[in-house]
Amino acid sequence: MKIHEYQAKKLLQEYGIPIPRGQIAKTYTEALQTAGKIGRGPFVLKAQIHAGGRGKAGGIKTASSGEDVGRMASEMLSKVLVTTQTGEEGKPVQTLLVEEVLEIGREIYLGIVIDRQKACPVILASSEGGVEIERLAREEPDKVITEAVDPCVGLRPFQANRIFYSLGIDQKLARQAMAIIIGLYRLFIEKDCSLAEINPLVITKEGSLVALDAKVTVDDNALFRHPETAALRDIGQENPLEVEAAKHNLNYIKLKGSVGCMVNGAGLAMATMDLIKLVGAEPANFLDVGGGATSQMVKEGFRILLYDKDVKMIFINIFGGILRCDTLAQGVVDAARELVIDMPIVVRLEGTNVEEGRRILAESGLTFTVATGLEDAAKKVGEIINGYKEGIR
Amino acid sequence: MSILINNDTKVLIQGITGKEGAFHTGQMVAYGTKVVAGVTPGKAGRSFDGIPVYNTVKDARAATGADTSAIFVPPAFAADAVMEAMDAGVETVVCLTEGIPTFDMIAVRQYMKGRDVKLIGPNTPGVISPGSCKIGVMAGYIHAPGPVGIMSRSGTLTYEVVDQLTKIGIGQSTCVGIGGDPIIGLNFVDLLAMFEKDEDTQAVVIIGEIGGSAEEDAAEYFRRHMTKPVVAFIAGITAPPGRRMGHAGAIVSGGKGTAAEKISALEDAGITVVKDPARVGTTVQNILAGKR
C-alpha cells in the first residue's frame, strides 16, 4: 500500500528523522493558516499524490509570501496532476503539503528495499540524491552503495558506519547520519515496509541533515497487524472501479484499451491481456476473479467491466479446475440477464465440466461467441475488434 | 519418475480441518496421494475421512512417518506452520497459503539455513507428479504422466499449458508451482537442476511473469548447466509498471522485472520463448519431435 509523502514524513519523525517544518492543507484557508504558522517565506507547496515525477508536472511550487501560498494552493488543489508515473488519467490533488524552504548544500539518497533472492532487507545509499535510484543503479552502479542486512541480528553499527563513510559527508554529521540510517531501518522493519526511501536527504547550509522528500510503501499482506498504517489508505488516489472491485475481492486494474477481460487466476489474466495485444487490440483491464471464483464474483466482475465506458467488447477466459465451468457459465448467464449488455462477448471455457458449461451458454438464448481453446478465442476477439476498426459495428 | 514427490511420498496436511484443507485433502486422496496424517492443534485423536489428526507435526511424524507437509493454514499463522514442519524434520514443505507477510517469509528463509529441507511456495497451487502423487489444489485429471517438467509462478496459466500438452498427447513428469510471492522457497534454478537430473524429464517449460529476476537467473543457469531443451512463456508484456498484477511478486518496479527484459535474457541464453500463450503446447511438441 502506498501512502502520501506527508504521512511518510510523519513516520520518519516518529523514528527521530528530521523533516522540514510544514503542515498539510486541503483548502485555501488551511494553506494560508499553515503559511502563517511556518512564519516568513519562502514556502514550498507539494501536491500529495500517489505517484512520483511531481516536480516537472507542476506539482511542486515555491511561493515567496503567504498570499502567494493561498493563490497557488487554490490553483493546485483543483487540479488533476498528470506526471510521467500517473498515466494519462492523472491523480487528483486533494491535499497539499506546505513546507518551509530549506537552503540546501548537498543532496544524498537513502533507501531500503527487500532483496527477493537473499530474502533480506538491503540498504541503498548514494552521494547523488534527488535522482531516480533505479536509473543510477543501471547507468552508474558504482555510485550506489548497497548493504544487505542479516534479518536475525538486524542492522549492525559497522554497517551504518560503512554507509556513512562511503557517502563522503563531513565527519561532524556522523552522529546525525547514523541516527537517520538506524531510524529508517527500524521504521522499515517495525512497519512491515516493502520500501522506505528518503530522496533526497539533504545537508542544509546550516549543516544539518533533513529528509526533504520521503516515500514509504507498506506490505499489503501485513496490514492486518498494523491497523494504524492501514488507516492511512487514501482511496481518493485509487481508481473508483478498482476500489469497487476490491470490495468484492476481485483483483482489478484499469488499463487504457477497449477489450474488457475477465479471467480466473493472475497469471492467466496477464497472459490473456498479452493475447489481446497479439491480435492487435488493447486490454481495457486486468481482472482476476480468483482461482476459486464463485458465480457471484463473476457477476460482480461483469458489472465492473460494464461500468467502464472504454470497454467495447468483453472476453471471458476461464480455466475451470476445482471451480467448475458449469458454475461459471451459470454466473455469466445470470449476470448477462440481470445487466444490460450491448456489446459482443467472447467466452472461452476450459476444464472441469466444460461441456455442461458450454451447453448452459448455448441454451441461454443470449448471444455469446463461444470459443474453444485459447487460439480460437484470440481469433474471435481479433475478428470483432477488426470489425470495429473497419467501422462494421 | 519425477522430481520432489512420487508414489512413496507420505503426506501430512497442516490445517486439515479447515474449509480449504478439508476439501483439498479429499481431492488429493481421490487422486491417489498417500495422505497419512492431519495436524490441527486441539483436535488430536479425531480422524478426518479415516486420516488420523494430531496436535503437532512432531506427533504426526512420529506416528506415521510422514515426510512431506502441505500447508493450508491462514496467512497470519502460515509461516509458523512452515517452521513447525521444518523443525519436526519434514523433508518437503508445500505451502499453499496466499497472503503471508513478506517479513514472515524472511524469517522462514532464515530458519531454513542449515536445515536440509525443501520449501515450495508459498502462494502456490502445489506440486503434481501425474499418475502418482498430487499435493495441491490443481485439478488432477487435466494432467497425464509423461516427459515434460513444468515450473511456474502461477496457477491457472499452468493448467492452461498442461491442458494444451495433455490434449496433444504429451504428459508431464512433475509440475511445480514455485509461488507468486516475492520471497519463496525453491526457485526456477533449483528446479532446473532437479529436472536436468531426472531421467524421465526430456524437456522443461518455464512459465514466468513480471517482477523479480527468477527468469533471468534461470536463463543464466540454463546457459551454464543445462543440456535438456527449455521452453518459456512470460506473462505480463502488457502489464503497466508499478502495479501489482494479482500476485504479490508480480510487479515491475523502477523499470526492473519487465517481461521484455526477461524474454531477452531467456532468448540470449538459447531458451525458446513462446510469445503466444496458445502455442506453448505445440512449441514443446516441435522441440520434442526435433530431439527424437
Side-chain angles (χ1 to χ4, degrees), chain A residues 116-117 119 134 151-152 192 219 221 225 242 253 264-265 268 273-275 278 286 322 348 350-352 375, chain B residues 23 99-104 109-110 137 141 156 160 167 212-213 217 236-238 243-244 249 254 276 279:
Chain A
R116 292 182 179 204
Q117 253 60 35
E134 294 88 356
C152 281
D192 269 295
D219 178 10
N221 289 347
R225 57 189 178 205
E242 292 178 13
I253 292 172
N264 65 331
L268 189 59
M273 287 162 45
D274 297 346
L275 194 67
L278 276 180
F286 167 88
I322 301 305
R348 181 271 177 146
E350 212 62 62
T352 312
E375 194 154 11
Chain B
F23 176 76
I100 302 177
T102 301
F103 279 107
D104 290 12
R109 286 275 299 268
Q110 288 293 321
V137 301
Y141 77 94
T156 48
E160 173 70 46
K167 279 184 175 155
S213 62
D217 298 342
I237 289 182
T238 51
R243 300 300 307 266
R244 233 166 260 283
D276 181 347
R279 302 222 168 126

Side-chain angles (χ1 to χ4, degrees), chain A residues 2 114-121 132 134-135 138 150-152 188-189 192-194 217 219-222 224-225 242 251-255 263-275 277-278 282-283 286 288 291 317 319-322 348 350-353 374-375, chain B residues 23-24 27 76 99-104 106 109-110 134 137-139 141-142 153-154 156-157 159-160 163-164 167 181-183 187 209-214 217 233-240 242-251 253-256 275-279:
Chain A
K2 289 179 183 173
I114 302 269
D115 182 314
R116 292 182 179 204
Q117 253 60 35
K118 293 187 195 135
C120 67
E132 208 187 311
E134 294 88 356
R135 194 192 309 155
R138 245 192 333 267
D150 182 326
C152 281
F188 186 79
I189 300 295
D192 269 295
C193 296
S194 42
T217 308
D219 178 10
D220 294 287
N221 289 347
F224 71 89
R225 57 189 178 205
E242 292 178 13
N251 253 317
Y252 171 87
I253 292 172
K254 171 89 174 85
L255 301 169
V263 189
N264 65 331
L268 189 59
M270 272 189 276
T272 303
M273 287 162 45
D274 297 346
L275 194 67
K277 176 94 174 175
L278 276 180
E282 292 286 338
F286 167 88
D288 166 20
N317 185 16
F319 200 102
I322 301 305
R348 181 271 177 146
E350 212 62 62
T352 312
N353 287 8
L374 211 46
E375 194 154 11
Chain B
F23 176 76
H24 290 294
Q27 298 282 314
I100 302 177
T102 301
F103 279 107
D104 290 12
I106 290 179
R109 286 275 299 268
Q110 288 293 321
K134 160 183 133 147
V137 301
M138 66 290 278
Y141 77 94
I142 59 170
R153 286 171 64 190
S154 83
T156 48
L157 182 55
Y159 312 160
E160 173 70 46
D163 190 58
Q164 286 177 20
K167 279 184 175 155
D181 279 358
I183 295 186
N187 55 39
E209 63 189 26
I210 55 163
S213 62
D217 298 342
F233 174 77
I234 305 297
I237 289 182
T238 51
R243 300 300 307 266
R244 233 166 260 283
M245 307 302 285
H247 296 147
I251 182 167
S253 51
K256 292 225 40 161
K275 306 282 163 53
D276 181 347
R279 302 222 168 126

Side-chain angles (χ1 to χ4, degrees), chain B residues 125-160:
Chain B
V127 191
I128 182 168
S129 294
S132 50
C133 185
K134 160 183 133 147
I135 303 177
V137 301
M138 66 290 278
Y141 77 94
I142 59 170
H143 301 78
V148 179
I150 298 183
M151 48 191 202
S152 171
R153 286 171 64 190
S154 83
T156 48
L157 182 55
T158 316
Y159 312 160
E160 173 70 46

Side-chain angles (χ1 to χ4, degrees), chain A residues 302-328:
Chain A
F302 229 122
R303 208 188 289 276
I304 281 156
L305 294 185
L306 292 171
Y307 279 139
D308 180 356
K309 56 184 188 323
D310 298 335
V311 170
K312 290 202 173 67
M313 70 163 293
I314 291 175
F315 176 21
I316 299 175
N317 185 16
I318 300 289
F319 200 102
I322 301 305
L323 166 74
R324 290 158 28 203
C325 288
D326 51 334
T327 315
L328 269 149

Side-chain angles (χ1 to χ4, degrees), chain A residues 80-277:
Chain A
V80 170
L81 197 60
V82 179
T83 79
T84 50
Q85 294 181 20
T86 57
E88 287 169 5
E89 69 284 2
K91 294 273 183 200
V93 182
Q94 289 152 336
T95 308
L96 295 175
L97 176 61
V98 183
E99 285 183 338
E100 62 178 334
V101 168
L102 300 172
E103 285 197 69
I104 297 164
R106 252 186 82 183
E107 300 190 341
I108 52 189
Y109 174 93
L110 185 65
I112 311 179
V113 293
I114 302 269
D115 182 314
R116 292 182 179 204
Q117 253 60 35
K118 293 187 195 135
C120 67
V122 176
I123 302 182
L124 305 171
S126 175
S127 57
E128 303 209 356
V131 295
E132 208 187 311
I133 192 72
E134 294 88 356
R135 194 192 309 155
L136 194 64
R138 245 192 333 267
E139 290 164 9
E140 296 173 89
D142 293 350
K143 292 190 173 160
V144 181
I145 304 143
T146 61
E147 195 70 46
V149 181
D150 182 326
C152 281
V153 292
L155 177 66
R156 304 305 305 163
F158 80 84
Q159 294 184 291
N161 212 26
R162 198 150 65 188
I163 295 166
F164 173 77
Y165 285 107
S166 60
L167 288 171
I169 313 173
D170 187 347
Q171 176 65 34
K172 275 183 275 182
L173 291 171
R175 278 179 69 131
Q176 270 190 61
M178 301 281 267
I180 289 172
I181 296 165
I182 291 165
L184 191 67
Y185 182 77
R186 274 185 50 218
L187 161 70
F188 186 79
I189 300 295
E190 288 174 16
K191 299 291 178 188
D192 269 295
C193 296
S194 42
L195 169 74
E197 182 180 77
I198 305 174
N199 188 22
L201 174 65
V202 300
I203 304 172
T204 64
K205 288 262 166 71
E206 293 138 24
S208 54
L209 283 161
V210 182
L212 197 65
D213 197 356
K215 195 166 158 190
V216 169
T217 308
V218 184
D219 178 10
D220 294 287
N221 289 347
L223 283 175
F224 71 89
R225 57 189 178 205
H226 300 287
E228 74 299 337
T229 315
L232 300 179
R233 182 174 172 205
D234 179 3
I235 59 167
Q237 291 294 308
E238 297 170 29
N239 180 291
L241 288 177
E242 292 178 13
V243 174
E244 180 62 24
K247 281 186 200 157
H248 303 286
N249 281 323
L250 299 168
N251 253 317
Y252 171 87
I253 292 172
K254 171 89 174 85
L255 301 169
K256 279 182 281 187
S258 58
V259 182
C261 48
M262 175 155 65
V263 189
N264 65 331
L268 189 59
M270 272 189 276
T272 303
M273 287 162 45
D274 297 346
L275 194 67
I276 291 169
K277 176 94 174 175

Side-chain angles (χ1 to χ4, degrees), chain A residues 30-60:
Chain A
E30 282 179 14
L32 278 184
Q33 284 168 351
T34 303
K37 273 184 210 159
I38 294 171
R40 283 199 307 178
F43 308 94
V44 59
L45 288 82
K46 306 177 85 177
Q48 298 298 289
I49 58 165
H50 283 180
R54 294 174 300 175
K56 282 179 190 140
I60 299 176

